[in-house]
Amino acid sequence: MIRRHTIAAADNRRLAHLCGPLDAHLRAIEAALDVGLSRRDASFRINGAGEAVERAIALLDQLYEKARAPITERALQLMLASALRPAPAGGAPAVDAEPVVLHTRHAELAGRTPNQVQYLRQMLARDITFGIGPAGTGKTFLAVACAVDALERKGVQRIVLTRPAVEAGERLGFLPGDLAQKVDPYLRPLYDALHDLMGSERVARAFEKGLIEIAPLAFMRGRTLNHAFIILDEAQNATREQMMMFLTRIGFGSRCVVTGDPSQTDLPAGQPSGLVDAEQVLDGVAGIAFTRFDAGDVVRHPLVARIVQAYDADRAQRGSA
């Protein structure tokens, strides 16, 4: 199928931003959507399968709307991921008509997929929320964004970050330094999200004032956390006993978010994951919500979604065998 698409009354500067340096954005669209794409002035020639061509046309219009300033690679990749997402059944909108919007340091932040919108709503409405799914679906980043939003609105008095201290298939040995320095490598993804949402200086001041606290999961026993936003990241590496201990730490005025990917468990062979166990035991319990993400929710580079899909297909094939 070949279609020609012309942007009416196009501005040359915005067209340049749309196409990118040396038409790099157009080449990225070709690779992601499997179409052929050429341009002469404001007229585009798109060659490919019918659905892919329609997606490419819609994406070109969206990019032109955003092209008042140069389009970053990150912004382009996020839009490509949205363009690749399957259309919802029945013609329903891809994202809730009134999405939850969080106000962060950089800009307003909202869910990009129906599952992300549901996840945000659940974190605001439920005391305990589980975000379960593959890498790149925004589980950790959105949880930290909700925590920062709650702290800045005075909805909670502090943020508590925790994670099982389990190496990803490696033995790092003794780590020097105080407690914060020892657990820092394990909590780096949470730190990255905090710095992105708050800025380095504000994060440093928040740690000094005790507004943000880090704690290894093993050190949570015996505590009761009131008026706190608590995040347990990489929960697939928690044991059943650790998960039960952690979930019973929640106190009055607190919210708890548990994130993890059951397909990336680093526990010893034969050791069941506390996240998988909790998903089975707690499903349906009042006050606890589960959001299950899949490859369609990946908002990183489109290649990440294809990697997730390939591993899922291989896992399913091995299981059937």
Side-chain angles (χ1 to χ4, degrees):
M1 176 180 181
I2 299 176
R3 285 278 303 275
R4 293 190 179 275
H5 179 64
T6 301
I7 297 177
D11 176 80
N12 286 334
R13 184 175 182 181
R14 290 174 68 176
L15 279 174
H17 291 163
L18 183 158
C19 297
L22 301 177
D23 287 346
H25 294 346
L26 299 185
R27 303 289 79 79
I29 294 172
E30 284 182 322
L33 300 183
D34 194 21
V35 296
L37 188 57
S38 60
R39 177 181 75 95
R40 174 169 291 183
D41 297 326
S43 180
F44 295 85
R45 182 180 184 273
I46 307 103
N47 178 25
E51 183 180 357
V53 169
E54 295 300 327
R55 288 176 184 266
I57 292 173
L59 180 59
L60 288 171
D61 288 337
Q62 293 170 13
L63 285 169
Y64 185 77
E65 287 300 313
K66 292 183 176 294
R68 293 176 177 85
I71 297 171
T72 65
E73 183 180 359
R74 173 182 171 83
L76 175 65
Q77 295 298 346
L78 288 173
M79 294 183 72
L80 286 172
S82 297
L84 288 166
R85 197 166 295 121
V95 178
D96 196 301
E98 296 182 2
V100 177
V101 177
L102 303 177
H103 301 283
T104 68
R105 168 175 171 262
H106 293 299
E108 293 183 343
L109 187 151
R112 294 178 176 271
T113 72
N115 281 335
Q116 288 188 350
V117 173
Q118 177 191 18
Y119 185 49
L120 287 170
R121 291 192 180 281
Q122 289 176 340
M123 285 191 287
L124 295 175
R126 304 294 182 90
D127 290 336
I128 298 177
T129 302
F130 284 78
I132 302 173
T137 51
K139 305 182 301 296
T140 299
F141 187 83
L142 291 177
V144 175
C146 272
V148 171
D149 182 72
L151 183 66
E152 296 189 346
R153 289 187 294 100
K154 310 297 183 185
V156 296
Q157 296 176 0
R158 58 178 167 157
I159 298 172
V160 179
L161 309 174
T162 186
R163 183 177 178 179
V166 178
E167 294 97 341
E170 301 179 33
R171 293 292 176 264
L172 302 179
F174 173 77
L175 294 176
D178 58 20
L179 177 61
Q181 293 169 325
K182 290 178 186 294
V183 300
D184 180 85
Y186 301 101
L187 294 169
R188 180 48 53 186
L190 296 171
Y191 282 130
D192 291 342
L194 281 172
H195 285 290
D196 194 28
L197 292 165
M198 297 177 66
S200 300
E201 292 184 2
R202 291 183 61 196
V203 170
R205 288 197 300 268
F207 273 110
E208 290 174 1
K209 295 178 180 178
L211 300 177
I212 302 177
E213 175 190 346
I214 58 172
L217 181 58
F219 284 39
M220 298 290 285
R221 187 175 298 280
R223 302 183 64 183
T224 300
L225 301 172
N226 295 314
H227 307 292
F229 199 109
I230 315 151
I231 300 174
L232 171 58
D233 193 33
E234 299 291 346
Q236 74 274 5
N237 290 328
T239 65
R240 172 187 169 94
E241 292 75 17
Q242 287 176 324
M243 181 64 72
M244 180 179 177
M245 177 272 292
F246 171 78
L247 294 175
T248 54
R249 300 306 95 201
I250 188 170
F252 294 107
S254 290
R255 296 209 181 277
C256 174
V257 179
V258 179
T259 70
D261 177 4
S263 69
Q264 297 194 42
T265 300
D266 300 312
L267 292 169
Q271 174 73 63
S273 168
L275 178 63
V276 175
D277 181 75
E279 186 178 9
Q280 298 169 354
V281 172
L282 300 176
D283 196 14
V285 174
I288 299 178
F290 288 84
T291 298
R292 297 170 178 86
F293 298 93
D294 55 35
D297 297 300
V298 172
V299 291
R300 291 183 187 167
H301 193 289
L303 185 58
V304 175
R306 296 198 290 272
I307 291 170
V308 170
Q309 290 169 340
Y311 273 99
D312 285 345
D314 180 72
R315 192 177 299 110
Q317 183 177 4
R318 291 171 184 266
S320 62

